[in-house]
């Protein structure tokens, strides 16, 4: 029987992870449908739609960094992550509702669309940065972080199922029949659901949230050591995860409507992919207790690439498309859930190497790259569609259909192969991470970090010698520790 302490800890992790339902509901809906909304509902040309998304890229670069600075100032003033999430939840939900109400309100001017998108993404950044950074404090254990990654994706996948079943068909219908009122009501309902979910998440996930004590901050700052191999590796993984892998979901509306000429199949394909993600969440969460996150992430990329290849071979066979979308979804579960656990571990690695926590800065750094590369991917899709002569609601010529296949299937397959190559260098398994935490604890307690780490890596539990100056390290000691810890944490990129 699990102890009450263990049950309470799992309950807090589940409560924290439930915030991903609300976040995925608004950001996932915008990610999957906003380009279609701009081109087919609001009637913008592909070039203008691409320019708007590039504008959003620049906004993300500013908003996430500004949100990180706001978080640091709030923590220094005694206001933790949860307080900041609660502050921005309602404005973010309102901005999302406004975007989907704009067709009904007759607001089609590009500057109005740009303003609404920027307000939404800015408010979302103020929610997203502290909520994600809180993951590093929900648990310090590597295996528990694997479970939290799974819980987060479970809630995200549940919202993706709702998007596939409800929002996507409504957006499609609005494009075909001009039912803008239903689109506005749906956007309002989604915005309210987001705000309520985030408020419940921060209320129920516990009081310990990094609210600015000196021991919790430990030098946390927005600037991160960009030359560190772990930071470089996570940055490269963020670019691949944001730019390449979501192209399949973003292009499903176009693949279903124009390549296989079955628009009604799009909700079913999204549903199959989401069902596959549910299976993947359960499988990879269970496996995360035994296998390290990097190895499971490699397996997920391989499975997703296999599913995409099968989809490409099944363009004339609808049952094969559904099965392939489900198989790709199984792999996507690993692709989208496990990098967050790796990032939480990277915070500990960077703290060891540089003597600073960099918790908020590293999560902001990763979010900037993921979201900016995702917006750049959407802009790239819009630009390519414009350049090849895409015209909505018409039969597309072969060159346009081929480009859609390349964007929806070829780009994520290439991204999966690159990610597998990159992940060869991530070797921080559960045991090594546990020894790293012991070494950090010894450093904070004033023990000799060099001898403590050596004994930790050797599996010894003996006490190390103390040293003058507490955490002050000589250059020779830092060099020795860097050599000791480089093997289990370096990320070749």
């Amino acid at each position: 029987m699990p102890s009450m302490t263990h049950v309470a800890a799992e309950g807090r992790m589940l409560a924290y992870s439930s915030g991903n339902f609300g976040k995925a509901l608004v950001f996932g809906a915008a990610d999957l449908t906003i380009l279609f909304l701009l081109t087919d509902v609001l009637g913008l040309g592909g070039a203008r739609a691409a320019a708007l998304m590039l504008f959003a890229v620049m906004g993300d670069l500013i908003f996430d960094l500004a949100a990180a600075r706001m978080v640091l100032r709030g923590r220094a003033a005694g206001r933790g992550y949860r307080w900041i999430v609660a502050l921005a939840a309602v404005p973010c939900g309102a901005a999302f509702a406004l975007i989907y109400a704009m067709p009904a309100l007759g607001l089609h001017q590009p500057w109005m669309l740009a303003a609404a998108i920027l307000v939404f993404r800015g408010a979302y950044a103020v929610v997203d940065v502290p909520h994600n950074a809180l993951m590093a404090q929900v648990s310090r254990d590597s295996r528990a972080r694997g479970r939290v990654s799974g819980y987060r994706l479970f809630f995200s996948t549940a919202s993706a199922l709702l998007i596939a079943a409800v929002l996507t068909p409504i957006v499609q219908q609005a494009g075909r029949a001009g039912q803008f009122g239903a689109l506005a009501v749906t956007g309002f309902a989604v915005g309210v659901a987001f705000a309520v979910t985030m408020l419940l998440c921060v209320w129920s996930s516990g009081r310990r949230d990094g609210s600015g004590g000196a021991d919790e901050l430990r030098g946390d700052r927005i600037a991160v050591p960009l030359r560190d191999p772990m930071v470089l590796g996570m940055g490269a993984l963020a670019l691949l995860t944001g730019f390449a892998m979501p192209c399949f979901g973003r292009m499903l509306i176009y693949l279903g409507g124009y390549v296989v000429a079955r628009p009604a199949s799009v909700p079913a394909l999204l549903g199959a992919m989401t069902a596959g993600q549910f299976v993947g969440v359960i499988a990879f969460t269970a496996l995360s207790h035994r296998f390290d996150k990097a190895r499971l992430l490699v397996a997920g990329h391989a499975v997703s690439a296999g599913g995409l290849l099968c989809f490409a071979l099944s363009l004339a066979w609808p049952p094969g498309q559904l099965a392939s979308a489900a198989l790709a979804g199984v792999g996507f579960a690993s692709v989208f859930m496990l990098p967050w656990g790796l990032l939480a571990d990277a915070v500990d690695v960077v703290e060891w190497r540089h003597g600073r926590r960099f918790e908020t800065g590293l999560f902001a750094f990763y979010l900037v790259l993921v979201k900016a590369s995702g917006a750049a991917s959407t802009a790239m899709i819009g630009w390519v569609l414009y350049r090849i002569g895409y015209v909505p609601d018409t039969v597309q010529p072969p060159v346009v259909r081929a480009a859609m296949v390349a964007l929806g299937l070829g780009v994520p397959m290439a991204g999966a192969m690159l990610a597998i190559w990159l992940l060869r260098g991530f070797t921080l398994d559960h045991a090594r991470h546990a020894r790293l935490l012991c070494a950090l604890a010894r450093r904070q307690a004033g023990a000799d970090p060099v001898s403590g780490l050596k004994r930790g890596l050797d599996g010894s539990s003996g006490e190390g010698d103390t040293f003058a100056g507490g955490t002050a390290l000589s250059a020779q000691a830092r060099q020795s520790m860097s050599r000791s810890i480089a093997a289990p944490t370096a990320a070749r990129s």
Side-chain angles (χ1 to χ4, degrees):
M1 291 286 293
S3 66
M4 292 301 297
T5 302
H6 176 74
V7 172
E10 290 294 320
R12 284 193 296 272
M13 290 190 290
L14 280 167
Y16 158 75
S17 302
S18 68
N20 273 60
F21 179 87
K23 292 198 306 178
L25 197 59
V26 293
F27 201 80
D31 193 46
L32 283 175
T33 65
I34 197 164
L35 184 61
F36 188 82
L37 181 72
L38 294 175
T39 58
D40 288 47
V41 177
L42 294 173
L44 288 185
R48 282 192 171 185
L52 275 179
M53 296 314 300
L54 284 174
F55 194 50
V57 171
M58 300 306 298
D60 281 338
L61 293 174
I62 298 171
F63 294 143
D64 284 327
L65 295 176
R69 186 172 293 277
M70 176 180 176
V71 168
L72 289 174
R73 289 182 176 177
R75 292 178 69 195
R79 295 169 178 169
Y81 293 137
R82 297 189 308 142
W83 184 90
I84 297 170
V85 171
L87 179 69
V90 173
C92 182
F96 177 88
L98 175 62
I99 292 174
Y100 285 82
M102 293 181 79
L105 297 174
L107 305 177
H108 294 185
Q109 291 86 346
W111 71 268
M112 293 181 178
L113 297 170
I117 291 173
L118 285 179
V119 170
F120 164 67
R121 296 180 84 97
Y124 183 85
V126 180
V127 172
D128 201 28
V129 170
H131 181 263
N132 281 298
L134 184 57
M135 182 180 178
Q137 296 189 5
V138 168
S139 176
R140 300 292 302 274
D141 180 71
S142 180
R143 291 180 175 85
R145 284 172 173 173
R147 295 198 303 277
V148 173
S149 298
Y151 299 156
R152 282 164 53 104
L153 188 62
F154 177 85
F155 285 107
S156 297
T157 306
S159 70
L161 185 62
L162 186 61
I163 293 169
V166 179
L167 186 60
T168 301
I170 290 176
V171 173
Q172 285 183 292
Q173 187 64 24
R176 291 194 298 264
Q179 295 182 354
F180 300 148
L183 184 65
V185 171
T186 304
F188 176 79
V190 170
V192 170
F194 164 79
V196 171
T197 299
M198 298 313 301
L199 292 174
L200 289 175
C201 163
V202 299
W203 175 75
S204 61
S205 59
R207 294 185 178 275
R208 189 180 184 281
D209 64 349
S211 55
D215 182 60
E216 289 177 333
L217 286 172
R218 286 200 296 278
D220 195 2
R221 56 189 296 179
I222 194 170
V224 297
L226 295 177
R227 295 182 179 181
D228 188 286
M230 195 69 170
V231 176
L232 289 174
M234 291 306 304
L237 187 61
L239 292 174
L240 291 172
T241 303
F243 185 89
M245 305 315 298
C247 280
F248 179 66
R250 293 181 183 125
M251 289 299 299
L252 266 182
I253 291 180
Y254 298 94
L255 292 172
Y258 301 111
V259 175
V260 302
R262 295 174 57 241
S265 70
V266 173
L269 290 172
L270 286 172
M273 183 177 69
T274 305
Q277 284 186 337
F278 272 120
V279 174
V281 167
I282 296 171
F284 286 110
T285 302
L287 291 171
S288 67
H289 182 77
R290 181 175 180 181
F291 299 100
D292 65 88
K293 294 182 281 291
R295 190 181 306 180
L296 293 177
L297 188 52
V298 168
H301 276 285
V303 172
S304 62
L308 295 171
L309 178 60
C310 292
F311 193 97
L313 298 175
S314 304
L315 294 179
W317 186 37
Q321 296 163 19
L322 289 172
S324 300
L327 179 61
V330 173
F332 286 152
S334 169
V335 169
F336 296 128
M337 82 182 230
L338 291 175
W340 296 104
L342 285 176
L343 182 61
D345 291 348
V347 172
D348 299 324
V349 173
V350 175
E351 180 183 4
W352 169 260
R353 287 174 171 164
H354 301 276
R356 287 181 177 272
R357 184 70 178 158
F358 291 108
E359 185 174 280
T360 305
L362 279 171
F363 274 91
F365 164 77
Y366 188 85
L367 284 168
V368 164
L369 294 181
V370 166
K371 291 197 287 188
S373 62
S377 175
T378 303
M380 179 270 296
I381 291 172
W383 182 82
V384 171
L385 292 177
Y386 166 73
R387 294 295 298 176
I388 62 177
Y390 165 71
V391 178
D393 294 325
T394 63
V395 177
Q396 305 299 325
V399 65
V400 174
R401 295 198 301 271
M404 289 177 174
V405 171
L407 291 170
L409 303 176
V411 171
M413 287 176 64
M417 295 300 102
L418 287 173
I420 290 172
W421 176 82
L422 172 70
L423 287 164
R424 296 178 308 157
F426 283 78
T427 57
L428 183 65
D429 58 20
H430 297 316
R432 285 171 173 168
H433 181 261
R435 293 194 288 270
L436 172 63
L437 292 183
C438 289
L440 283 170
R442 294 175 67 85
R443 172 192 283 176
Q444 293 158 20
D448 183 351
V450 178
S451 61
L453 178 61
K454 184 178 185 301
R455 289 191 175 114
L457 292 172
D458 292 338
S460 171
S461 59
E463 293 296 327
D465 299 327
T466 59
F467 66 101
T471 60
L473 303 177
S474 67
Q476 184 179 3
R478 286 188 181 275
Q479 186 177 8
S480 174
M481 285 186 294
S482 296
R483 287 195 300 267
S484 299
I485 206 167
T489 59
R492 293 186 294 270
S493 59

